[in-house]
Amino acid sequence: MTEITVNVNGAPRTASVEARRTLADFLRDDLDLTGTHVGCEHGVCGACTVIVDGRPVRSCLMLAVQAAGHDVTTIEGLAPDGVLGPLQQAMRDSHSFQCGFCTPGFVMQATAFLGAHPDAGEQEIREALSGNICRCTKPTWGATYDSDRGSALHRLQRQAL
């Protein structure tokens, strides 16, 4: 067991973990942050996406020990007081997803991308989210953009992240 301290959603969290424990399992099982979903466990679907030091990361592929000393933001960190963040609210308002399993990964990927590229166009946004899979609606993020002609993401672009 290795003791690690990770800054999760703005707060330092310390725990003893096995060296082989994934960041996804650490977040879900050790910290009870179950908003990070585990889908394929191969980094393909994007459901487990979190933000590490400002960059989107597949938490099923990163070990918890690799996150030691880093800043990790989960879907819970986007709504610390229980109030949805602007992107979460925009996606909710446009009914972007059906079952919701993929939603946290999409939100985290979009948040990281739009934070770094606030003036991105439709094609850039589509490309940035193309690695996330929604099995209910379309094979990639199409539902997010097409649901309301992209209004969810365009409204967010006009707001401060």
Side-chain angles (χ1 to χ4, degrees), residues 41-115:
E41 297 189 74
H42 296 284
V44 175
C45 72
C48 68
T49 303
V50 297
I51 299 172
V52 178
D53 295 335
R55 300 181 63 143
V57 171
R58 304 289 206 234
S59 64
C60 71
L61 296 180
M62 184 176 194
L63 298 174
V65 295
Q66 292 174 297
H70 293 277
D71 293 321
V72 176
T73 304
T74 68
I75 192 73
E76 292 91 348
L78 299 183
D81 299 321
V83 177
L84 296 179
L87 180 58
Q88 292 168 304
Q89 187 63 52
M91 287 186 169
R92 183 177 188 268
D93 291 347
S94 65
H95 308 287
S96 294
F97 300 100
Q98 287 183 11
C99 82
F101 188 83
C102 66
T103 304
F106 271 97
V107 170
M108 299 309 290
Q109 182 73 30
T111 296
F113 178 75
L114 292 174

